[in-house]
Amino acid sequence: MSKRLEGKSMIVTGGASGIGLATVERCLKEGANLVISDLASSDGAAKAQALNGQGGRCIFIPCDVSSTEQVDHLIAETVRQFGKVDAVFNNAGIGGITPAVDYADADYLRIIDINLNGVFRVARAALRQMYMQGSGSIINCASILGTLGQTGTAAYSAAKGGVVNLTRTLALEAAPKGVRVNSIGPGYIDTPLLKDLPPEMRQGLVNLHPIGRLGRDEEVANAVLFMASDEASFVTGAHLLVDGGYAAGKS
């Protein structure tokens, strides 16, 4: 039985940790050749070396998504190494909690630049390559905060809401070229950072999810795998919530 991404090449930005790394590991097992892309200061190179050959090949290409030059190099180097770009998980991002009235311009604009403009830069470069190929799949990582608001997240929520509608627009443009563009909206995912929260704060986050727990990295990775695979061949312009029912409303 063939693997679901056999022979495909895939880039994961923000791929050195968390949801990104879980997606790399999951897609490698399904036969893809993977590019871990993250900041040069990350441990992406070591992660790629450790994972190389665990299904497909795995390499590291450093990239800061706030730099058009670095993003364009990421796509070009992937093509040089693997010959094509079949899928991109546009996952690099940063967080921030600040009341709107206290946001400094520089802090607000940095979150917008990484979380929204960075997604656009990567998508733009990937689309140029995918249009030449006549095929491809881009999965943009938004958030439940692309659907709902939350106090203290003016920049983050604005960016993630932008990602959701950017995805729809890109999907419309890309569909005639044989390229699919979708987004996913994770809820709160159980990461080491959340383990350090006081128990009452952690339980408060759990209580936001009707399913009764936080999400796991691999559960988001499974959604990305589906969107990247040919199983989702009729899915484009969609926003898939992976949130344990968070956005469904109050129970």
Side-chain angles (χ1 to χ4, degrees), residues 1 14 21 37 45 88 91 98 102 122 137 164 173 202 204 210 220 238 251:
M1 185 176 178
L21 183 60
S37 182
V88 173
N91 172 66
T98 303
D102 296 329
V122 173
S137 173
V164 174
E173 292 186 12
R202 180 181 169 86
V220 182
S251 61

Side-chain angles (χ1 to χ4, degrees), residues 24-58:
V24 168
E25 293 170 342
R26 184 72 182 89
C27 293
L28 274 172
K29 290 177 182 176
E30 290 294 339
N33 294 316
L34 260 296
V35 173
I36 294 177
S37 182
D38 214 309
L39 297 174
S41 59
S42 73
D43 61 352
K47 294 286 175 61
Q49 185 175 16
L51 290 170
N52 188 36
Q54 294 187 23
R57 287 178 57 200
C58 187

Side-chain angles (χ1 to χ4, degrees), residues 123-233:
R124 177 180 60 188
L127 286 172
R128 288 168 176 162
Q129 173 61 32
M130 290 174 175
Y131 285 177
M132 289 191 290
Q133 298 169 182
S135 63
S137 173
I138 296 172
I139 306 99
N140 296 324
C141 192
S143 165
I144 47 171
L145 299 186
T147 300
L148 302 171
Q150 181 174 297
T151 56
T153 68
Y156 187 86
S157 291
K160 294 301 187 178
V163 167
V164 174
N165 221 32
L166 173 64
T167 296
R168 296 185 181 111
T169 299
L170 296 180
L172 293 172
E173 292 186 12
K177 308 286 189 178
V179 178
R180 297 183 296 106
V181 187
N182 295 287
S183 60
I184 60 167
Y188 282 95
I189 305 302
D190 198 357
T191 64
L193 181 64
L194 296 187
K195 287 181 172 65
D196 294 333
L197 289 176
E200 64 277 10
M201 290 185 65
R202 180 181 169 86
Q203 187 58 44
L205 293 179
V206 169
N207 293 342
L208 294 172
H209 303 77
I211 209 166
R213 61 173 175 83
L214 301 177
R216 298 188 293 268
D217 287 341
E218 61 267 25
E219 292 175 314
V220 182
N222 286 335
V224 178
L225 167 62
F226 168 69
M227 289 295 196
S229 76
D230 293 338
E231 295 168 10
S233 56

Side-chain angles (χ1 to χ4, degrees), residues 71-138:
V71 167
D72 290 347
H73 175 263
L74 169 63
I75 301 301
E77 182 62 14
T78 300
V79 173
R80 191 184 75 80
Q81 294 267 2
F82 293 151
K84 56 181 179 171
V85 179
D86 293 303
V88 173
F89 181 32
N90 215 345
N91 172 66
I94 57 174
I97 302 287
T98 303
V101 294
D102 296 329
Y103 249 120
D105 281 4
D107 296 334
Y108 179 88
L109 292 173
R110 174 166 169 73
I111 289 175
I112 295 292
D113 193 39
I114 299 295
N115 291 1
L116 177 56
N117 300 343
V119 166
F120 172 74
R121 291 183 188 99
V122 173
R124 177 180 60 188
L127 286 172
R128 288 168 176 162
Q129 173 61 32
M130 290 174 175
Y131 285 177
M132 289 191 290
Q133 298 169 182
S135 63
S137 173
I138 296 172

